[in-house]
Amino acid sequence: MIEGILNKKVLSKADIIRILKCDEHDTLKLFEKSSQIKAETIGNNVYYRGLIEFSNQCEKDCYYCGIRRSNKDFSRYNLKDEEILEAAEFASQQNYGSIALQSGEKTSPAFTQRIEKLLKAIKKLSNGQLGITISLGEQSEETYQRWLNAGADRYLLRIESSNPDLYYKIHPNNPQHNHEKRIDCIRTLRKLGYQAGTGVMVGLPFQTYEDLADDLLFMKSIDIDMCGMGPFIEHSNTPLYQYKDELMPIKERFVLTLKMIALLRILMPDINIAAATALQAIEANGREKALQIGANVIMPNITPGMYRDDYNLYENKPKTNQKTSDYTTYLEKQIAIWGNHVAYGQQGNSLHFKKRQANISIKNS
Ligand code: SAM
């Protein structure tokens, strides 16, 4: 039965829901199909983005997130510019190809200017070689444009859920947490010329299979270039923790996330898909498994050690020190065991984006 669905040219919402609910045997068939599509379309190269979680200061109050504004029970940090540049230098020396800068959300002229300066400095220190992904939340079009001009290549802004009702169950319903605005930001990023990425959390309280199918169809309809999606993991100091006993067991959230990645690879064969860090919080080699069944990007965490543990989005966030050459070698071997190959020194830009840009130039010529 599942082969019939997997061989269809276009998957309907009902097909996607069926696959999301399928048993272990059919899950293996799904993974075979998604790995095959990945190998045929983008190959088995894996691209590194050295992840620098440079600040856990946040203006937002998302009900699921450990670094939300209202959580006063941990220490806030903000790396110095030199520390960020030192981490970027490490990525450059290790031949990572790209870095990803992420932080809690801040919107101020000073913040815009700081990031602008950092982007220029990172491009300079790597002679323009390091690709840069940023994930700094909702900003004005002008700010996005300034950061693009300063050297950012890609932007990741997870939609968290495409269903507005679910969105407002996991966020306050106020102008600072506005679902439509978040979607508009993704459209703006795409329009400005970023490689634009989004994603959702899988296994949220109140989330249905129908929501997840809609999330995948949303990503296709908005025509994203890349995706980062991971399992929801509860944090005891957040409002959503009260629903912990109603959640799907953590191992099921893990498998469901892998199914979402596999399905997205089938729906959008040429985009970049990240193997989310939260998968590693559930299984030590969770990210490598995701790479095997459809993902092609991994983000070794190169945030300096003394800060890393305070970027505490959820419980059991991995504490392994990944900012060493030994870890780079270790990860490379792990990735090879699961059938992939690290593409050192390559930025690993989204093939989907490249095709999109080529189409735009043909139309304009
Ligand atoms: N401020 C930026 C933004 O709003 O996109 C980036 C930082 S935000 C902490 C990065 C992502 O962490 C969110 O988009 C969310 O999906 C994820 N996250 C937060 N809390 C989580 C949790 N409890 N479980 C899994 N992922 C979580």
Side-chain angles (χ1 to χ4, degrees):
M1 284 298 277
I2 189 128
E3 281 94 342
I5 301 179
L6 290 172
N7 286 330
K8 281 187 178 178
K9 281 221 158 57
V10 180
L11 293 183
S12 67
K13 184 169 162 184
D15 293 332
I16 295 174
I17 293 175
R18 210 126 162 228
I19 297 173
L20 288 172
K21 290 181 175 172
C22 75
D23 65 13
E24 245 174 79
H25 172 265
D26 285 354
T27 301
L28 291 179
K29 298 267 172 219
L30 164 68
F31 292 165
E32 260 171 42
K33 181 79 183 178
S34 57
S35 316
Q36 183 202 333
I37 289 184
K38 179 185 147 185
E40 286 168 5
T41 317
I42 54 165
N44 285 337
N45 274 349
V46 169
Y47 302 101
Y48 276 5
R49 277 82 173 103
L51 175 61
I52 309 171
E53 294 167 333
F54 66 89
S55 172
N56 62 4
Q57 296 170 347
C58 193
E59 292 168 357
K60 292 229 169 163
D61 224 5
C62 311
Y63 293 153
Y64 45 83
C65 185
I67 65 168
R68 64 196 297 265
R69 192 184 62 215
S70 296
N71 187 3
K72 308 283 182 216
D73 217 11
F74 72 115
S75 56
R76 301 276 174 178
Y77 70 86
N78 191 4
L79 260 67
K80 295 195 190 83
D81 287 358
E82 304 86 82
E83 292 170 312
I84 298 175
L85 295 177
E86 195 267 325
E89 184 82 55
F90 171 84
S92 178
Q93 280 162 3
Q94 295 285 307
N95 217 7
Y96 273 13
S98 286
I99 58 159
L101 284 178
Q102 192 181 98
S103 74
E105 200 157 307
K106 268 193 183 177
T107 46
S108 71
F111 185 70
T112 301
Q113 198 179 16
R114 180 184 185 209
I115 300 300
E116 193 173 37
K117 272 176 63 187
L118 279 166
L119 290 166
K120 286 182 184 162
I122 292 166
K123 282 287 172 185
K124 193 165 167 212
L125 72 81
S126 68
N127 292 322
Q129 296 301 302
L130 270 183
I132 310 178
T133 303
I134 49 178
S135 179
L136 306 171
E138 293 158 45
Q139 305 286 342
S140 67
E141 178 164 343
E142 189 207 334
T143 294
Y144 286 148
Q145 182 69 65
R146 278 175 63 178
W147 291 346
L148 185 71
N149 296 347
D153 300 286
R154 324 181 185 101
Y155 206 106
L156 181 64
L157 184 74
R158 284 188 180 179
I159 190 68
E160 318 298 359
S161 169
S162 60
N163 176 352
D165 293 336
L166 177 55
Y167 191 85
Y168 291 118
K169 286 185 179 140
I170 62 169
H171 298 93
N173 188 344
N174 63 27
Q176 206 189 15
H177 302 80
N178 184 286
H179 190 243
E180 266 176 48
K181 181 174 174 222
R182 208 157 170 93
I183 297 179
D184 271 350
C185 283
I186 300 169
R187 293 208 175 95
T188 303
L189 289 162
R190 221 178 145 270
K191 179 189 80 182
L192 293 178
Y194 278 92
Q195 292 173 56
T198 192
V200 296
M201 283 176 285
V202 179
L204 285 161
F206 318 113
Q207 191 177 46
T208 62
Y209 288 103
E210 189 169 35
D211 288 331
L212 290 169
D214 282 334
D215 290 340
L216 293 172
L217 293 171
F218 166 80
M219 291 188 230
K220 191 162 169 63
S221 72
I222 202 165
D223 197 30
I224 51 161
D225 302 303
M226 50 189 219
C227 174
M229 101 185 121
F232 164 68
I233 304 178
E234 59 275 29
H235 186 297
S236 55
N237 264 340
T238 59
L240 285 196
Y241 195 67
Q242 63 187 297
Y243 303 108
K244 68 178 188 330
D245 296 332
E246 289 158 43
L247 295 172
M248 185 181 279
I250 194 90
K251 291 278 173 191
E252 283 178 33
R253 271 177 263 165
F254 179 85
V255 175
L256 192 55
T257 306
L258 293 186
K259 284 181 172 179
M260 287 286 284
I261 291 174
L263 273 162
L264 187 61
R265 177 58 68 204
I266 294 170
L267 291 168
M268 303 190 77
D270 56 2
I271 65 168
N272 276 353
I273 305 181
T277 308
L279 288 165
Q280 193 195 3
I282 302 178
E283 280 195 21
N285 53 20
R287 294 177 305 172
E288 290 85 335
K289 283 189 182 173
L291 294 171
Q292 191 196 29
I293 58 90
N296 67 325
V297 165
I298 194 163
M299 307 205 284
N301 192 335
I302 58 167
T303 310
M306 61 281 209
Y307 303 109
R308 219 179 29 244
D309 300 346
D310 288 324
Y311 201 78
N312 205 0
L313 307 182
Y314 44 79
E315 317 258 277
N316 297 326
K317 190 156 174 280
K319 295 197 190 315
T320 329
N321 184 7
Q322 304 181 1
K323 188 171 166 279
T324 65
S325 50
D326 282 355
Y327 189 83
T328 308
T329 315
Y330 164 80
L331 189 60
E332 179 188 332
K333 284 191 184 139
Q334 288 298 111
I335 287 170
I337 292 171
W338 293 89
N340 286 287
H341 166 81
V342 178
Y344 285 110
Q346 295 185 42
Q347 291 192 0
N349 293 316
S350 152
L351 178 59
H352 188 79
F353 175 78
K354 289 182 198 160
K355 289 186 195 159
R356 191 153 76 71
Q357 292 302 94
N359 280 341
I360 294 171
S361 349
I362 292 169
K363 273 189 201 144
N364 291 342
S365 64

